[in-house]
Amino acid sequence: MNKNQRIALLATSISYVLVILDTSIVNVALERISRGLATDMTGLQWIVTAYVVVFGSLVLSGGALGDTYGARKIYMIGLVLFAVASLISGCAPSISVLIAGRILQGIGAALLVPCALSLITHAYPDNTARAKAIASWASWGAAAQVLGPLVGGLLLAVFDWRSIFLVNVPICLGGMWLTLKIDNQMSDHGRRRLDLPGQLSAALAMILLNAALIEGVKSGWDNNWIRVALALSVLSALSFVIIERKSKSPMLPLFLFSHPVFSWICLAGLSSAAAFSGMLFVLNIYFLQGAGYTPLQTGIALLPLSLLVMAGNIASARLADRIIPMSLMLVGAAVRLIGFAGFALVTADFFYTLIAMELILIGFGSGLLAPMMVSVFMSTVDKKYPGIAAGVSRATGQLGSAIGVAIF
């Protein structure tokens, strides 16, 4: 691993920690925010969902912008946006300003993740080295997911709730300093024209679909607003396909889906995220309502899953030069499948040790599977389209999570 590769991996890993941390750390501060800004449950829900919906909906556009203007440049803009958004959120005098800050954070995150994968792809042209780098990058995100509530709890024990947002600012500054050291030639490949109609129609389709799936679980699927949002999402998606077919410089070249591995991994990523998120949703409800666990006990009960995801990421990075990524991906999928199948043995009078065993298998299998899936996926596209490929990968996962929770 040369100097440029180390810098690229460190810079992109820092941003991934930020993005994942802000999906989990805010949950522990909701009660303090409610008291500090005198808001109700609806306001608290929007603090969480505004970030998730915007991030998941614009990540495809973030990847396309990286391919158009250069991944390093868009990545730096994402860091600046995230830092400014965190400052706004940390200094918010009202709930509306805080929600606006969270929306801006979501936009920054949508620029960071696909451009991070694009920078890694360019920095590591060798497939095996790239697989190891992506697995290492993923392990940082898994660690952030595990440590998010703990870090949030420590900050709240010493400081005000605003600290959970303000802590992002110095981290972003460190990421900017490292990004400036990345070789610019690594990212500026395949410049293309901006496909604004395609970007707008894709973003509208994703925003409406994500919002409808998240709110539909709470409001009911017979709600007229949910039905209208779903219908408009379908129309926007159809418009996007028509625009991309006719565009001379499409945001998402549809011929990419003619590659069987590209298409199959899109489907696998969607179903994988749906199964994982749906299972997590059901288990949280079961522990809290069925078993009578406290929130702390529920977090501890799910700890084997989080820790083994991180362990699987680390193992995949170490095994990538011994086992080809596709084989490692299939091994991870098989281990996960055994874990999911094991839940069929769990009855209402559950025995936690059995559940913990399934969580260990699912977590470790997921840790092996996810980074190898991304690595194989990225290897199927031309060097001109790494950003949009990364955006598709993340968007299908985000959409799969929303669909999984809705179905389960």
Side-chain angles (χ1 to χ4, degrees):
M1 187 187 297
N2 61 42
K3 182 181 177 182
N4 282 328
Q5 289 175 330
R6 286 195 298 270
I7 291 172
L9 183 57
L10 184 56
T12 53
S13 296
I14 285 175
S15 73
Y16 200 40
V17 167
L18 283 171
V19 169
I20 300 300
L21 200 63
D22 269 60
T23 62
S24 60
I25 193 173
V26 73
N27 291 303
V28 300
L30 291 177
E31 191 269 337
R32 295 274 190 94
I33 294 172
S34 177
R35 282 188 284 144
L37 298 180
T39 186
D40 57 9
M41 184 58 67
T42 301
L44 294 179
Q45 287 174 343
W46 273 108
I47 291 170
V48 177
T49 58
Y51 175 77
V52 175
V53 168
V54 172
F55 173 32
S57 301
L58 298 184
V59 71
L60 197 62
S61 295
L65 288 171
D67 288 344
T68 303
Y69 297 109
R72 195 185 78 153
K73 186 183 298 181
I74 299 301
Y75 185 79
M76 181 65 83
I77 292 172
L79 282 171
V80 172
L81 279 177
F82 207 94
V84 171
S86 297
L87 194 59
I88 291 171
S89 299
C91 300
S94 65
I95 190 65
S96 57
V97 174
L98 178 53
I99 292 172
R102 291 289 282 169
I103 290 172
L104 193 59
Q105 275 189 323
I107 296 172
L111 298 179
L112 288 171
V113 172
C115 290
L117 280 170
S118 180
L119 288 170
I120 292 173
T121 298
H122 285 302
Y124 294 85
D126 177 72
N127 286 342
T128 300
R130 185 191 310 127
K132 293 181 69 174
I134 290 175
S136 175
W137 176 79
S139 69
W140 283 63
Q145 189 73 48
V146 173
L147 298 175
L150 177 61
V151 172
L154 291 173
L155 286 172
L156 291 175
V158 181
F159 304 106
D160 187 63
W161 63 265
R162 299 177 186 277
S163 63
I164 68 167
F165 299 112
L166 297 177
V167 73
N168 294 333
V169 177
I171 300 175
C172 286
L173 292 175
M176 292 176 206
W177 178 72
L178 285 169
T179 303
L180 289 173
K181 293 178 174 293
I182 296 175
D183 183 1
N184 204 35
Q185 296 305 310
M186 282 185 178
S187 61
D188 290 342
H189 294 265
R191 290 180 180 274
R192 297 181 292 130
R193 291 174 55 194
L194 183 64
D195 176 20
L196 192 57
Q199 296 230 0
L200 291 175
S201 57
L204 186 60
M206 291 292 290
I207 287 172
L208 289 170
L209 181 56
N210 274 307
L213 288 171
I214 290 171
E215 291 300 316
V217 175
K218 305 172 189 171
S219 306
W221 301 105
D222 57 347
N223 184 294
N224 288 332
W225 287 108
I226 300 299
R227 290 176 176 176
V228 169
L230 288 171
L232 290 175
S233 175
V234 172
L235 289 175
S236 298
L238 291 173
S239 300
F240 173 72
V241 172
I242 293 170
I243 290 168
E244 297 307 277
R245 282 185 177 278
K246 294 183 177 181
S247 175
K248 293 180 180 179
S249 182
M251 178 184 82
L252 175 57
L254 299 180
F255 69 79
L256 292 176
F257 292 95
S258 63
H259 194 300
V261 176
F262 186 94
S263 296
W264 276 108
I265 290 185
C266 279
L267 182 60
L270 186 79
S271 58
S272 176
F276 189 89
S277 298
M279 173 210 69
L280 204 54
F281 177 73
V282 170
L283 279 180
N284 269 291
I285 292 176
Y286 184 59
F287 283 139
L288 289 166
Q289 297 183 9
Y293 281 19
T294 65
L296 178 60
Q297 289 172 327
T298 299
I300 294 171
L302 292 171
L303 199 57
L305 179 70
S306 303
L307 292 175
L308 267 295
V309 168
M310 187 162 54
N313 288 156
I314 295 170
S316 64
R318 293 183 177 179
L319 293 171
D321 54 357
R322 302 177 194 173
I323 305 173
I324 61 173
M326 179 69 83
S327 298
L328 201 52
M329 182 184 82
L330 293 173
V331 169
V335 172
R336 233 172 73 124
L337 183 59
I338 294 169
F340 279 127
F343 272 114
L345 303 175
V346 179
T347 62
D349 295 324
F350 78 97
F351 183 42
Y352 175 72
T353 303
L354 180 59
I355 288 185
M357 289 172 60
E358 313 308 337
L359 292 178
I360 287 170
L361 289 171
I362 293 170
F364 190 73
S366 298
L368 286 177
L369 168 69
M372 294 302 104
M373 184 183 289
V374 174
S375 178
V376 173
F377 186 77
M378 296 296 289
S379 69
T380 64
V381 299
D382 188 271
K383 284 284 187 181
K384 293 189 293 184
Y385 306 113
I388 193 62
V392 171
S393 173
R394 183 68 199 192
T396 52
Q398 198 76 24
L399 185 58
S401 295
I403 290 173
V405 171
I407 291 174
F408 275 57

